[in-house]
Amino acid sequence: MSLFSNLLNLHLGNKPREDFFTEIVAYFLSLNNDILLDWLKHHSIIGDDNYSSIKISTQQEHQALAIHTEDSRLDIVIELSTGLSTDVIFIESKIGAKDGNNALKKYADILSNLPNVRHRILIYITRDYDPKEEIKTLAFNLEPKVIFYQLRWHQFYARLQQHSTDILVQEILTFMRNNRMSHTNQFSSVDLLTMVNYNKTLHLMESTLNDEVQHEFKQAFGGVIKGAASRTQWKWDERYIIYTHFSPSTWDLWCGLGYFGLNPSNLTDYPYLGIFLQVSHRFGQRSKIIESMQKIINDKPNLWTPSNLKVLPAWSGIFYRKSLQDFLSEENHISAIKLFFQESIKELKTVQEQYFDFPWKGVSIEATIEGDKEEYPDTSLSSIV
């Protein structure tokens, strides 16, 4: 996981990914004006003007115009000055959400009303497809006119890769990959292999987490969540698991069994298999749970791996795991992995009884969860240290 992802995980409550990433990008571009200008020129947003001053600000507040009902807060504002004239660029950045409350229209109005500006430019940059042709026409018809550009974050990612020797760039690229912002409009050879083998891979994983293993999981922990949520976990958190949580309505204490790290940044890395127990920073008995987890790590350092046990606020946990690579020499992969999953269940049940003075009762529901990633606890494999 990137440094930025780790820092974001320390944030209480819902993670402000968009604002967080906005600050990262703005800071990077303020340090690297040449990369900023190159990016803007590449998309024909600016010409070859010799700018003597570049100012970048974030979360800039603008008082509502007479035609607006509320004030506006702009993600990024860039002021480019030649000494004789000034060009102003507003950037609205989106990762998961889409433009709401006619924000782009308001930003175009504000740009058009700025005094002493030569070129007025509005950029809407998104991870997902969100066409805004109507804004382009509306902005151009303002007086003074505003030029609207629509970009995608994967384009920025591709441009940034040209500077991948820079440490800060490497961290930004990793963060973007972790948040599905690096997707291009071309299928790679790896993509094609994934496409044609998807059903086979899914079937193999399902075979190792079938009714027999699920039954043992439920017997050990009192419940198992079934249904579409396992595939949703794969989509959002790069894991394919069966799981349960130990309170009726929250994820504050939960465990999951299955495959983790299904989208490594390095294609030579292998996913991990195993069982994970995790507690949130909100859990009322967190300190007792963490104390017990630390005892397990101290007593069984060769069996259990810690994750953020000394970090607050953060999701913290312990992982009983092996690399998928460890099973490839087995004659029957399915049988070997199922045996390990059964071993993992028994091991967690053993430490539960020996180390935790807490009544665990798993939840069993039919899940059709298709929500945003942030509704789930973060157990991306690289957070385990």
Side-chain angles (χ1 to χ4, degrees), residues 215-228:
H215 176 75
E216 292 192 28
F217 186 89
K218 186 174 181 178
Q219 287 291 106
F221 307 118
V224 61
I225 294 174
K226 301 178 180 179

Side-chain angles (χ1 to χ4, degrees), residues 104-371:
L104 292 173
K105 181 182 182 303
K106 290 195 297 180
Y107 301 159
D109 290 337
I110 294 170
L111 262 172
S112 184
N113 278 270
L114 292 180
N116 305 317
V117 174
R118 181 181 62 169
H119 298 313
R120 306 156 196 270
I121 299 163
L122 175 59
I123 298 175
Y124 182 47
I125 182 166
T126 62
R127 180 187 67 186
D128 305 321
Y129 180 65
D130 184 24
K132 295 293 181 184
E133 284 299 318
E134 72 280 4
I135 297 296
K136 183 175 183 179
T137 301
L138 180 149
F140 191 82
N141 289 333
L142 292 172
E143 186 59 43
K145 68 181 179 182
V146 173
I147 307 300
F148 178 74
Y149 293 88
Q150 185 151 7
L151 304 177
R152 299 282 293 279
W153 277 118
H154 71 75
Q155 297 168 308
F156 182 81
Y157 178 91
R159 205 72 190 162
L160 208 56
Q161 281 185 306
Q162 300 178 12
H163 309 276
S164 59
T165 56
D166 184 283
I167 297 296
L168 183 55
V169 170
Q170 292 174 14
E171 293 292 341
I172 295 174
L173 293 175
T174 301
F175 183 90
M176 294 183 75
R177 286 194 298 270
N178 289 343
N179 287 275
R180 301 189 301 116
M181 302 168 72
S182 60
H183 296 204
T184 67
N185 57 1
Q186 294 180 320
F187 289 110
S188 68
S189 58
V190 174
D191 295 329
L192 296 175
L193 283 172
T194 302
M195 187 186 302
V196 299
N197 286 286
Y198 174 82
N199 283 334
K200 178 183 177 183
T201 303
L202 180 61
H203 176 71
L204 289 171
M205 291 194 296
E206 287 177 337
S207 296
T208 61
L209 291 168
N210 64 8
D211 293 340
E212 181 181 355
V213 172
Q214 285 200 28
H215 176 75
E216 292 192 28
F217 186 89
K218 186 174 181 178
Q219 287 291 106
F221 307 118
V224 61
I225 294 174
K226 301 178 180 179
S230 290
R231 297 195 190 188
T232 305
Q233 292 276 323
W234 192 353
K235 176 181 179 181
W236 289 116
D237 286 301
E238 302 168 0
R239 62 199 182 201
Y240 187 81
I241 58 176
I242 58 174
Y243 53 96
T244 189
H245 50 92
F246 300 109
S247 55
S249 59
T250 71
W251 285 94
D252 288 342
L253 181 66
W254 78 288
C255 72
L257 172 76
Y259 298 81
F260 299 81
L262 294 178
N263 185 29
S265 56
N266 188 341
L267 293 178
T268 61
D269 291 342
Y270 287 85
Y272 279 83
L273 290 65
I275 199 163
F276 193 91
L277 176 67
Q278 193 174 51
V279 62
S280 82
H281 56 270
R282 299 182 299 267
F283 192 56
Q285 300 188 50
R286 173 188 167 90
S287 59
K288 291 179 61 178
I289 297 294
I290 294 295
E291 182 180 349
S292 296
M293 288 180 172
Q294 191 61 61
K295 288 180 181 177
I296 294 169
I297 296 301
N298 294 339
D299 293 346
K300 301 185 175 187
N302 297 325
L303 296 180
W304 288 90
T305 303
S307 173
N308 294 330
L309 293 189
K310 298 180 180 179
V311 178
L312 190 69
W315 284 93
S316 304
I318 52 175
F319 204 159
Y320 183 82
R321 64 179 188 172
K322 281 187 179 180
S323 170
L324 179 59
Q325 186 179 20
D326 294 340
F327 298 88
L328 299 185
S329 61
E330 299 286 346
E331 183 177 351
N332 188 322
H333 294 170
I334 300 297
S335 296
I337 291 172
K338 286 178 68 174
L339 286 173
F340 177 67
F341 283 153
Q342 291 167 325
E343 173 191 319
S344 301
I345 293 169
K346 292 175 182 176
E347 174 62 23
L348 180 57
K349 185 63 177 177
T350 296
V351 299
Q352 172 196 352
E353 294 171 348
Q354 292 180 353
Y355 291 87
F356 293 95
D357 181 20
F358 180 80
W360 293 12
K361 178 62 177 177
V363 176
S364 292
I365 60 173
E366 282 290 330
T368 55
I369 303 171
E370 294 292 343

Side-chain angles (χ1 to χ4, degrees), residues 43-62:
H43 292 286
S44 301
I45 295 173
I46 62 172
D48 293 323
D49 293 274
N50 185 21
Y51 293 109
S52 57
S53 173
I54 299 175
K55 180 183 177 183
I56 301 175
S57 58
T58 60
Q59 312 303 327
Q60 192 177 110
E61 300 282 348
H62 276 265

Side-chain angles (χ1 to χ4, degrees), residues 2 84 168 274:
S2 71
L84 298 176
L168 183 55

